[in-house]
Amino acid sequence: MNVKEPSATDEFIKGLWRENPVFVQVLGMCPVLAVTNSAVNGLAMGVATTFVLLMSNSLVSLLRDFIPKQVRIATYILIIATFVTIVDYAIEAISLDLHRALGAFISLIVANCLILGRAEAFASRHKPGAAVLDALGMGAGFTLALLCLGGVREILGAGSLFGLVLFPAGFEPWIVMILPGGGFFTLAGWLLLINHRRQRRERAEAAGGPLQEAGR
Amino acid sequence: MNTPAGPVWPMYRALVGIGMLSGLLIAVVYGGTRPIIEKNRAEALERAIFAVLPKASQRTTYALDEAGGFREDPQAGGERVHAAFDDTGRLVGVAIEAAGMGYADTISVLYGYSPEEQAIVGIRVLASKETPGLGDKIEKDPDFLANFEALDARLDETDSSLANRIETVKQGEKTEAWQIDGITGATISSIAIGDILAASSERWLPLLAGQLETLKPSAAPGGAADGTDGQDRRPEPTTETDDDER
């Protein structure tokens, strides 16, 4: 994390791409693998997480001088759990079907290490403005990643995207892609692609310098 | 920031203060969303009732009392059936909720029983966590659902039990009207549906048998049975109401 004050756009872009919570930090794998069996589920989970992240980051940042550090984790969890409960009610009110599809994973946003991680590592040390931008960036990055996974899994596993049928009737869906195993395959595929690109870029930047370790 | 062994008061203040604030927020949102959620649930059940009994245009909910009789109670929460009527107030069927163990977690269903045909005439899965692509065919597979267009549920001579217990057989081996043609690849889920229906019909149909004439469309006692003041109409297509919680 930069010690210098980075620009507002940079604060946002960081979470969306350079430090993408799923593809780079590999955080919050439970919802990433579990609910991305369709694009809609991935999108809903991403938006719900973004909302919780936004609210918890703003509050933690606003209250950062008020919360003694001995009880900070308990306080953060309390704040996060409150907004998760609110999101749970809101989703149930908006659509029962969506609530059924996301199931227990809404409540499990409480335990998403991404949110607690941002509260502890960022919001508690920065001004509310920066914390909001950080939450929006990280949330957008998380949503984007969930959409990438959900989209690929739905196309291959159900032959549709956002419920729209894409293939002619003869297409036999790869059921495995919407089962838990498909989550791992798809995530592995995306990580492979992104790490491959990053490695190539780093190699180009080093311009003939010593090869960097592949990392994760 | 305090020193590691800081005073107790700021900790107390932070935890209790934020806790109370959280409680208040949750209570407000709960109060705001509860009516919408209840309404959505009721509408989902309503749609399911009219889906399993397509001829119906109105319905009345009856609760089962301790003596085994049926008492009209729109708010009934526990053991209940939904009697459905057509426009003339004639009983077209009874929608019954049932649940049982599936392959993954409980499957709960709503099925429509037609006393006239002595058969189950429709089924809707209300909630299930069956494997996507395999077990969840019990909700979608048209061949499987065709089993429930007229599934024989005749009572024996004494009206105390079904003449033939409903059962699921292997795919393609259905020979009798009370058998359900199973789904290859969803064996456990389709057998579970058969077991749920068998257990539920075995319990409810004999109870209903003697009391069909007590099921009336109108809420008013002794009122005209033309259904003009029936309490629940076939719902109009509804638009989702959004709550502006943000």
Side-chain angles (χ1 to χ4, degrees), chain A residues 47 51 63 66-71 74-75 78-79 82-83 85-86 89-90 92-94 96 100 175 178-179, chain B residues 1-4 6 10-11 13-15 18-19 22 30 33-34 36-37 40-41 126 131-132 240 242 245-246:
Chain A
V47 171
F51 173 73
L63 299 171
F66 175 73
I67 301 169
K69 71 170 188 295
Q70 297 93 331
V71 294
T75 318
L78 190 59
I79 292 172
T82 304
F83 288 105
T85 311
I86 290 173
Y89 289 146
E92 202 176 357
I94 292 166
L96 277 182
R100 202 181 300 157
I175 304 269
I178 52 175
L179 297 178
Chain B
M1 289 278 172
N2 289 299
T3 50
M11 294 188 226
R13 187 184 55 181
L15 277 175
I18 293 173
S22 300
Y30 181 85
T33 53
R34 193 54 26 183
I36 306 171
I37 294 171
N40 284 352
R41 284 212 178 120
L126 295 178
T131 321
E240 291 275 19
D242 204 335
E245 150 274 328
R246 283 201 192 186

Side-chain angles (χ1 to χ4, degrees), chain A residues 186-199 216:
Chain A
T186 316
L187 180 66
W190 279 109
L191 286 179
L192 190 73
L193 185 76
I194 284 168
N195 279 327
H196 174 70
R197 282 200 44 186
R198 198 180 53 184
Q199 230 183 326
R216 276 184 288 258

